[in-house]
Amino acid sequence: MVDLAHLPVDDPKVYAMLQAADTIGVFQVESRAQMATLPRLKPKEFYDLVVEVAIIRPGPIVGNMVHPYLKRRAGREPTTYLHPISNRC
C-alpha cells in the first residue's frame, strides 16, 4: 500500500524533468502555459510547484503578475513592498 502522506518530495530526477518541461501527462503541469513557465521558474522544491500551479491562472495572467514574479524570483528585478510592515515578513 502506498502512503500518500509520506511520498518523497525531493527526487532530483523529478525536478530535472519539471525544469525541462517534460510534463506531458503530468497532472496540473501539462498545459502549454505551465510547460512554458516551468523552465523559467526552475522548480527545486514542492513549494515551487505550488506557486507554479497557483500563478498560471487567468487572474494572475490577465493581471500581469506572472512576468514580474519570475523576474523578481530570478533576481532580475527588485522586490518592493506597498507598506513598510511588509518588509518585516
Side-chain angles (χ1 to χ4, degrees):
M1 176 185 247
V2 176
D3 182 358
L4 296 177
H6 294 96
L7 288 175
V9 294
D10 59 350
D11 188 335
K13 290 181 182 179
V14 170
Y15 289 99
M17 175 198 73
L18 290 164
Q19 291 176 11
D22 184 16
T23 59
I24 297 292
V26 179
F27 180 68
Q28 291 288 340
V29 290
E30 66 179 338
S31 74
R32 288 181 187 218
Q34 293 284 353
M35 290 172 67
T37 306
L38 283 165
R40 295 169 38 208
L41 182 70
K42 297 180 180 89
K44 296 178 184 139
E45 58 186 42
F46 183 73
Y47 181 74
D48 295 338
L49 296 176
V50 172
V51 170
E52 168 81 17
V53 170
I55 201 166
I56 304 302
R57 294 282 181 245
I61 291 171
V62 172
N64 294 317
M65 300 165 85
V66 177
H67 295 292
Y69 173 80
L70 293 172
K71 288 177 188 175
R72 291 171 185 157
R73 177 182 163 91
R76 294 189 314 265
E77 183 177 292
T79 301
T80 57
Y81 299 95
L82 298 176
H83 193 278
I85 198 167
S86 298
N87 289 320
R88 294 188 291 200
C89 295

